[in-house]
Amino acid sequence: MAALTQWVEREGTQRPVPRGHSEQITLDGGTDLVAVRLGVWVSNTKTRRDNLTAELLDACGSWEWSRA
């Protein structure tokens, strides 16, 4: 979720994440950057959205689910 949050803060909710995009984030306040395959995660999450928990969907907030 940190990678998606970072993307949305930078790009907004209307711009789709390209499938091959990796987002660089830091974990737990660390200093090392970690590459998260955000495009793959978004694609997989959209495909499985009917089976996701309400908690995860709420955490995604205003993300535009209808985009590919």
Side-chain angles (χ1 to χ4, degrees):
M1 291 307 305
L4 180 59
T5 300
Q6 185 172 292
W7 169 272
V8 168
E9 287 174 356
R10 185 180 65 247
E11 305 292 338
T13 59
Q14 299 302 312
R15 182 163 183 234
V17 180
R19 181 153 171 81
H21 178 72
S22 290
E23 191 73 17
Q24 300 288 324
I25 65 168
T26 57
L27 298 177
D28 300 323
T31 57
D32 295 333
L33 289 175
V34 176
V36 174
R37 294 175 51 193
L38 183 60
V40 171
W41 181 85
V42 167
S43 177
N44 290 342
T45 303
K46 285 181 182 182
T47 300
R48 298 176 182 122
R49 71 179 165 259
D50 292 337
N51 298 321
L52 298 178
T53 64
E55 181 180 37
L56 180 59
L57 291 172
D58 287 346
C60 290
S62 61
W63 179 255
E64 181 60 55
W65 289 106
S66 63
R67 292 196 167 214

